[in-house]
Amino acid sequence: MSTNPDAPAAPGVSAADRDAMAAQLGRVPRGAREVAHRCPCGLPSVVQTAPRLPDGTPFPTLYYLTCSRLSSKLGTVESQGRMAEMTERLAEDPELAARYTAAHESYLAERNAIESLGTEVSAGGMPDRVKCLHVHVAHSLAAGPGVNPFGDEALDEVGQWWGPGPCATP
């Protein structure tokens, strides 16, 4: 694991949270601004990242999933082809497509309030396709239920991911 114990924690991220996320990810998270959601065990599960990494590289993914246990469960769901099914449903269900577009617009507005990247690219394939369930679940956990329909759906599918005990030991 590449962690620098002497590196200062990012504003809004404690040293303990940085260490926990490094244990979860196997590396120090890049561009961390704040913990956006915590697992019931108390460890971070989602980090809000800066729209630009410290070196200036654009990073459009505002919410990044850190919980390794949830990430693994979502990888299983992704491997079953769920994203293609969800994308097909966008073409068939105008109400779902409208809710997904609203999630995209909400994501952009929140990111642009921090720093505009001058792009309409949000994350996870929004608003036209479903590309990454990890991003959608991170958005759902950070924003709360009812904002990202595919994040909510994927969370329902994986069920309780946090037990027993934490996913990592900082």
Side-chain angles (χ1 to χ4, degrees):
M1 176 173 32
S2 64
T3 181
N4 177 357
D6 299 322
V13 176
S14 71
D17 286 337
R18 182 203 56 213
D19 292 346
M21 290 185 288
Q24 291 168 322
L25 297 169
R27 62 172 174 76
V28 175
R30 301 176 303 158
R33 286 178 40 86
E34 63 185 42
V35 174
H37 184 269
R38 291 184 183 278
C39 285
C41 73
L43 290 180
S45 54
V46 177
V47 64
Q48 183 190 72
T49 60
R52 288 190 190 278
L53 297 177
D55 69 1
T57 303
F59 193 73
T61 304
L62 180 63
Y63 295 114
Y64 197 90
L65 190 65
T66 62
C67 176
S68 53
R69 186 176 291 143
L70 179 54
S71 188
S72 176
K73 289 181 178 282
L74 289 169
T76 300
V77 173
E78 286 183 345
S79 73
Q80 296 168 347
R82 197 73 75 239
M83 295 161 320
E85 295 169 14
M86 291 172 166
T87 298
E88 287 174 13
R89 288 176 33 221
L90 285 172
E92 300 165 358
D93 185 339
E95 182 181 318
L96 177 62
R99 289 177 34 231
Y100 194 52
T101 296
H104 164 72
E105 290 168 354
S106 169
Y107 199 98
L108 282 177
E110 192 169 351
R111 187 185 72 210
N112 288 343
I114 298 166
E115 179 182 356
S116 176
L117 294 177
T119 180
E120 292 298 306
V121 173
S122 58
M126 292 189 279
D128 302 319
R129 65 189 175 113
V130 181
K131 181 178 165 188
C132 176
L133 293 181
H134 298 74
V135 167
H136 296 296
V137 165
H139 187 205
S140 284
L141 289 172
V147 175
N148 188 314
F150 291 123
D152 292 349
E153 197 173 295
L155 274 170
D156 287 344
E157 187 166 341
V158 299
Q160 182 177 329
W161 76 88
W162 56 86
C167 66
T169 303

